[in-house]
Amino acid sequence: MKNLILLFFLTYGISLNAVENHSCGCGSFEDSIVHYQVQEGQGCCGTLSSDTALEGFYEQNEGQWELVEVNSISASSAQKRCCP
Amino acid sequence: MKKIIFLLIAITLIGCTSENDKASNEAPLTKEAFKTPLDSNVWKALSGNQFKNANEVFLAYEKEKKMYNSQLHFDNTMSMWHKALFNYSKDLKIEQVNVILNDMDSMEFNSVSFRTYYRLLYHHNKEITNYRSKVNDFYKKNINYLTSADWKNVELKEQIIKNLNKEHFVFK
């Protein structure tokens, strides 16, 4: 039984420690959409995992929303837009 | 001991339930379907330091190209991939370069990734036999599209035309 409990904590612990980046985004097609990356498991208002973020601009064409430009912006300003 | 086992089972079940809730909340709306998925590897590629080399990036690109082929966000996601490939343009093999150039040629316009196209031609011009005609065709397609496009953001459109002209004439 002790082995079973040990196995559970080992498995659960490994999954908790596997920290990866997680992509977040917000905004609208009419304005622009920002994307940035945070550390996995903290939610989109958690710790940023890089200094830069992306801002995508879209235009509507025959019912489709087409990406027309992507610029680099600071990750902190992107996160501020998503976490006011 | 029974209490401990019960507690462990309860923790596991709570974890599974929250994952299911998350999955059901992520069903995209029609408009949302034009957005590049947040779990796409293109975000890692654009951040510039998540892939070991050009070959690894190219394989990830090819995988997503097949995966998203029939979806609304396909062109938008591919545009981002083409932009991300800029940093790897020098180290890609000629076979890979040809695949990317053909993919970019088949798109209606390439305003997000002008620089990648010109950079690929610049680094591999000796291996591409018809590179001069490719440059001219690429420019013609994009300038025609942009000048006739009816965009709300006129300022952005003018800036993109300016950038395209700059890239093209510097390359020539």
Side-chain angles (χ1 to χ4, degrees), chain A residues 14-77:
Chain A
I14 286 165
S15 68
L16 285 176
N17 287 329
V19 177
E20 283 187 7
N21 292 343
H22 174 72
S23 290
C24 293
C26 68
S28 67
F29 285 110
E30 291 81 359
D31 182 14
S32 67
I33 296 174
V34 294
H35 291 96
Y36 59 99
Q37 296 206 314
V38 292
Q39 289 178 13
E40 185 79 64
Q42 296 183 18
C44 286
C45 300
T47 310
L48 290 165
S49 60
S50 96
D51 293 336
T52 55
L54 300 164
E55 182 173 25
F57 296 90
Y58 294 77
E59 288 285 339
Q60 201 169 13
N61 180 23
E62 295 172 0
Q64 307 259 325
W65 283 96
E66 293 177 334
L67 179 68
V68 297
E69 183 64 302
V70 177
N71 290 330
S72 287
I73 58 168
S74 79
S76 56
S77 62

Side-chain angles (χ1 to χ4, degrees), chain A residues 6-18, chain B residues 8 11-12 14-15:
Chain A
L6 185 65
L7 183 69
F8 175 84
F9 278 112
L10 273 175
T11 312
Y12 203 65
I14 286 165
S15 68
L16 285 176
N17 287 329
Chain B
L8 295 177
I11 291 169
T12 309
I14 289 165

